[in-house]
Amino acid sequence: MNTIVSPSGVAVYQPSAPLSAKRLIVVDGAGPTPLAAPPHAYGSPRVAPNGRSVLLGVGGKEEHVWSYDLAEGTLRQLTFEAFNRTPIWSADGRQVTFASNRHGAMNLFTVPVAGDGPAERLTTSNSLQMPGSWSPNGEVLAFVEQHPATGRDIWLLRRNGERTEWAAGEADESAPRFSPDGSRIAYVSNESGQPEVYVRALNGSGQARRVSTAGGAEPVWRRDTDALYFRSYGKIFEVPPGGGAQRMVFDGAAEAGTF
């Protein structure tokens, strides 16, 4: 599915379809509405902080990062070499962070959305890495790194280059998303035997709280921090970030995300 909630409360996702025929759909209180973007091999849509455009991975012989202007209905390519995927916005909406294999393993890079500068390498590793989200103050990037021995782990990268483990247990941990106030991270772990959504304080205090009950993936915070959305077997649910009753907000076939 890969879904994100815009500042106006609109959710954007891509429904399941053949690779070249995926459509971008807006889901709000009025129901699902297709966007004007032509069918393509879309992946990982992320709405900009200002709600005016969407970042996309677009597949083909190579995979690249594109942006889609919601008002003008136009697509613009942002990367042009190697394979590039899972783009995310910087906190101020001026940069795009993405994974690329342009120098070997899939590592993390960033490039100006305006296209007026070269890509900057953020990490160097032999392990596959995927970006998760930037903290609201733009100082910390949560990302996933995959190791042969421990599987997928969540790391934090600070602007000064300092890297720290945040969730690196025996289970797979992925899909980290900062809360809008920056105090917590929602993520996915299979420690229970299947992927579920958890919430944990950024500083690591206290135990992680499980908020999904029957499978969960790709958590997304509502912009007021009072709710989380997540995908569970093609359906989209809303739940309080502290746990509680789940409310289904959409029932339909939706494309699974990167993890």
Side-chain angles (χ1 to χ4, degrees), residues 77-164:
Q77 189 170 349
L78 300 179
T79 63
F80 297 89
E81 61 176 295
F83 284 80
N84 310 272
R85 58 184 55 171
T86 59
I88 66 170
W89 295 95
S90 62
D92 61 9
R94 296 179 180 178
Q95 298 278 328
V96 179
T97 301
F98 57 95
S100 177
N101 66 352
R102 61 188 62 195
H103 295 310
M106 276 280 176
N107 285 178
L108 305 182
F109 295 77
T110 187
V111 68
V113 176
D116 56 357
E120 174 190 355
R121 188 168 191 170
L122 298 179
T123 59
T124 300
S125 173
N126 292 325
S127 298
L128 179 148
Q129 298 171 329
M130 292 288 171
S133 69
W134 282 96
S135 61
N137 64 7
E139 291 298 316
V140 184
L141 171 65
F143 70 96
V144 175
E145 185 166 284
Q146 183 166 314
H147 296 274
T150 61
R152 299 169 187 151
D153 301 320
I154 297 174
W155 288 73
L156 302 179
L157 175 69
R158 303 187 182 278
R159 284 289 186 185
N160 62 8
E162 178 187 355
R163 280 182 43 163
T164 56

Side-chain angles (χ1 to χ4, degrees), residues 159-255:
R159 284 289 186 185
N160 62 8
E162 178 187 355
R163 280 182 43 163
T164 56
E165 286 185 348
W166 188 79
E170 295 182 359
D172 277 344
E173 297 93 9
S174 63
R177 297 285 183 93
F178 273 97
S179 62
D181 64 5
S183 66
R184 291 167 288 176
I185 293 178
Y187 67 102
V188 175
S189 172
N190 63 359
E191 63 183 78
S192 69
Q194 69 172 344
E196 298 282 4
V197 175
Y198 294 79
V199 174
R200 180 184 167 199
L202 172 62
N203 63 12
S205 62
Q207 291 186 333
R209 182 182 295 272
R210 176 173 155 182
V211 298
S212 63
T213 59
E218 301 164 53
V220 177
W221 291 87
R222 201 167 72 190
R223 295 301 173 95
D224 60 8
T225 314
D226 289 336
L228 272 169
Y229 297 89
F230 64 92
R231 178 177 58 85
S232 181
Y233 303 105
K235 300 178 181 179
I236 301 173
F237 289 88
E238 177 188 83
V239 66
Q246 299 177 179
R247 181 176 71 91
M248 187 179 69
V249 297
F250 181 74
D251 183 2
E255 181 73 14

